[in-house]
């Protein structure tokens, strides 16, 4: 299987696939770059929200994470929550894996003040807009960007063209968009052969539009559910 997510997550996912007996090849389509934007002081914020562990990694890389560790942290899902705990946050709330669920979790907590939201330059959703109906202010600061790969590695493209991969894993809408662009030279047969295991319907949209017809989604948007989906798919292939 082909793993398209950025490092270090790609290597972790590949290791989990290998532990399940599934051969994996990493071809990260995005690379994180830390931005040196101005950061607000933590005083006055009721909590912090993150939709990716990359935001925390960027702040840690800048040696700027310590002042925020006293804030309650709302994480989009358990994987991001685990990264926050590993980086020293003590009060961490994990949502169900989507921006909508994160906003609902924050709204239900009735924070008595604004939310600090360190995020990427390119955002797939708008947390401030999602929380506006609840009257909760969100202060967003772009702390990193994900830079797109300019091409698929030659050996990866060749393996795709010869139908050597049974499936590819996609975790973000933007990664799927980049894959569609970089795989434009594949013929219809190669597109029909490759199964796209996508974290959510939103992630799958660019692939569906590009006529990748074998789309599979997990029961819920989490790494654990993606691993269950990959294992089920691999077993189905072996049976066939």
């Amino acid at each position: 299987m082909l793993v398209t997510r950025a490092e270090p997550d790609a290597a972790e996912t590949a290791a989990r696939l290998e532990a399940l007996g599934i051969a994996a090849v990493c071809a990260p389509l995005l690379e994180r770059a830390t931005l040196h934007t101005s950061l607000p002081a933590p005083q006055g914020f009721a909590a912090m929200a993150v939709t990716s562990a990359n935001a925390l990694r960027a702040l840690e890389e800048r040696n700027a994470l310590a002042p925020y560790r006293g804030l309650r942290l709302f994480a989009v899902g358990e994987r991001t929550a685990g990264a926050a705990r590993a980086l020293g946050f003590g009060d961490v709330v994990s949502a169900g894996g989507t921006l909508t669920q994160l906003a609902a979790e924050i709204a239900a907590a009735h924070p008595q003040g604004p939310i600090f939201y360190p995020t990427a330059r390119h955002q797939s959703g708008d947390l401030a807009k999602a929380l506006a109906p609840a009257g909760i202010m969100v202060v967003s600061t772009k702390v990193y960007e994900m830079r797109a790969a300019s091409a698929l590695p030659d050996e990866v493209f060749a393996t795709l063209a010869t139908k050597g991969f049974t499936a590819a894993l996609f975790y973000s809408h933007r990664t799927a968009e980049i894959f569609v662009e970089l795989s434009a030279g594949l013929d219809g047969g190669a597109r029909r052969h490759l199964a796209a295991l996508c974290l959510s319907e939103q992630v799958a949209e660019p692939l569906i539009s590009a006529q990748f017809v074998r789309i599979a989604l997990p029961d819920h948007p989490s790494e654990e559910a993606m691993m269950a989906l990959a294992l089920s798919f691999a077993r189905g292939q072996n049976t066939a």
Side-chain angles (χ1 to χ4, degrees), residues 66-131:
Y68 301 101
R69 288 194 177 105
L71 293 174
R72 190 178 200 189
L73 186 140
F74 290 89
V76 69
E78 186 53 42
R79 186 178 180 85
T80 305
R85 296 185 189 103
L87 287 169
F89 285 86
D91 187 0
V92 180
V93 178
S94 175
T98 68
L99 184 77
T100 299
Q101 291 168 314
L102 175 63
E105 196 75 47
I106 295 171
H110 303 292
Q112 300 302 300
I115 304 297
F116 173 45
Y117 179 37
T119 186
R121 186 186 297 277
H122 304 285
Q123 301 178 51
S124 59
D126 190 336
L127 184 63
K129 182 177 180 180
L131 285 172

Side-chain angles (χ1 to χ4, degrees), residues 118-183:
T119 186
R121 186 186 297 277
H122 304 285
Q123 301 178 51
S124 59
D126 190 336
L127 184 63
K129 182 177 180 180
L131 285 172
I136 299 171
M137 178 184 295
V138 175
V139 176
S140 300
T141 301
K142 295 175 174 59
V143 298
Y144 72 99
E145 66 177 343
M146 300 303 290
R147 295 175 178 168
S150 59
L152 289 167
D154 291 342
E155 62 275 18
V156 168
F157 189 89
T159 304
L160 286 166
T162 56
K163 304 179 184 179
F165 290 113
T166 56
L169 280 68
F170 297 94
Y171 287 78
S172 75
H173 185 274
R174 188 164 176 234
T175 300
E177 285 182 325
I178 294 166
F179 182 80
V180 166
E181 178 182 348
L182 299 184
S183 64

